[in-house]
Amino acid sequence: QKEVEQNSGPLSVPEGAIASLNCTYSDRGSQSFFWYRQYSGKSPELIMFIYSNGDKEDGRFTAQLNKASQYVSLLIRDSQPSDSATYLCAVSSNTGKLIFGQGTTLQVKP
Amino acid sequence: SAVISQKPSRDICQRGTSLTIQCQVDSQVTMMFWYRQQPGQSLTLIATANQGSEATYESGFVIDKFPISRPNLTFSTLTVSNMSPEDSSIYLCSVVAGGLETQYFGPGTRLLVL
């Protein structure tokens, strides 16, 4: 079992829709959870982090964490073509190291 | 966050040679890491660069192949030694900045080994 799992996609949504990206992790001791966006040919860019159960909102982005189910998600409201990218879920234990999922490719179609 | 630069941004190298990649940060940071991203793959941690001591390598990565230096809190180098085509990847440094264990990535070095 992979430590951090994501559906590789591609996930295709129409412009203006809500994109829902999901991630599960195996280590119950994980403390911190991150979402990175990576455009083709670019390095990962941090867009959200979450530490506590529940929802965290930042503009059009909402991260959701359920530690009991070992599940993290990222919702993107009013999706735009510029949101088309690969979204990487990363999980950190108390060592500070990040373990990345394989990433989900999101395509937002005009 | 922190401003991170890497040199070179890309290179094409011959099999059997070595390449040293530099990572420079605009502020002192405690934790610095080196990752590899092979084509079409996610990020894999190579090692934690420790200031003033030997780097801590992850399983599957060894110092002879990927020697790392970190002479101060703003700079680190990663050398890819005795390269083979399988080393063709993007190499990224990252730092923890702004507290709360958040990691920020440099622009990456795109390496092609022929």
Side-chain angles (χ1 to χ4, degrees):
Chain A
Q1 181 189 6
K2 293 182 181 177
E3 295 184 70
V4 179
E5 292 206 49
Q6 295 180 255
N7 188 323
S8 61
L11 172 66
S12 183
V13 300
E15 183 174 357
I18 296 175
S20 177
L21 304 161
N22 304 313
C23 172
T24 59
Y25 60 95
S26 61
D27 183 3
R28 285 196 171 273
S30 299
Q31 302 285 322
S32 312
F33 307 86
F34 304 86
W35 283 99
Y36 287 83
R37 177 176 63 197
Q38 187 173 28
Y39 292 113
S40 180
K42 301 294 186 182
S43 65
E45 171 192 10
L46 179 67
I47 55 172
M48 289 285 287
F49 57 87
I50 187 167
Y51 305 101
S52 304
N53 276 329
D55 295 0
K56 179 181 179 183
E57 187 174 319
D58 184 1
R60 295 187 295 113
F61 298 97
T62 299
Q64 299 175 318
L65 174 60
N66 184 324
K67 288 188 176 181
S69 300
Q70 296 175 243
Y71 173 88
V72 191
S73 66
L74 179 69
L75 301 178
I76 306 175
R77 290 181 299 282
D78 188 24
S79 296
Q80 301 297 308
S82 59
D83 294 326
S84 297
T86 297
Y87 289 80
L88 299 165
C89 171
V91 175
S92 172
S93 66
N94 56 10
T95 65
K97 297 178 187 178
L98 289 182
I99 300 173
F100 283 84
Q102 286 296 105
T104 298
T105 300
L106 173 66
Q107 297 174 346
V108 180
K109 297 191 173 180
Chain B
S1 63
V3 177
I4 308 167
S5 61
Q6 285 186 235
K7 290 181 181 179
S9 59
R10 60 180 67 238
D11 207 342
I12 301 173
C13 300
Q14 295 298 316
R15 178 195 300 261
T17 62
S18 298
L19 177 72
T20 296
I21 301 167
Q22 299 179 2
C23 179
Q24 179 75 54
V25 191
D26 69 338
S27 58
Q28 294 186 341
V29 293
T30 303
M31 301 192 76
M32 186 178 285
F33 303 92
W34 286 98
Y35 289 83
R36 179 175 74 182
Q37 187 172 30
Q38 295 178 301
Q41 303 295 314
S42 188
L43 282 76
T44 302
L45 180 63
I46 297 172
T48 303
N50 300 310
Q51 192 267 328
S53 65
E54 190 172 290
T56 305
Y57 290 85
E58 297 299 305
S59 175
F61 297 96
V62 296
I63 188 170
D64 290 347
K65 176 66 175 178
F66 297 102
I68 289 171
S69 77
R70 190 171 175 200
N72 56 53
L73 293 176
T74 64
F75 184 79
S76 178
T77 66
L78 167 74
T79 299
V80 186
S81 302
N82 188 24
M83 288 183 286
S84 67
E86 292 70 33
D87 295 319
S88 297
S89 288
I90 301 172
Y91 292 86
L92 298 132
C93 70
S94 76
V95 303
V96 174
L100 301 177
E101 300 176 13
T102 49
Q103 283 192 33
Y104 298 90
F105 285 86
T109 296
R110 286 151 184 78
L111 172 61
L112 176 63
V113 184
L114 302 177

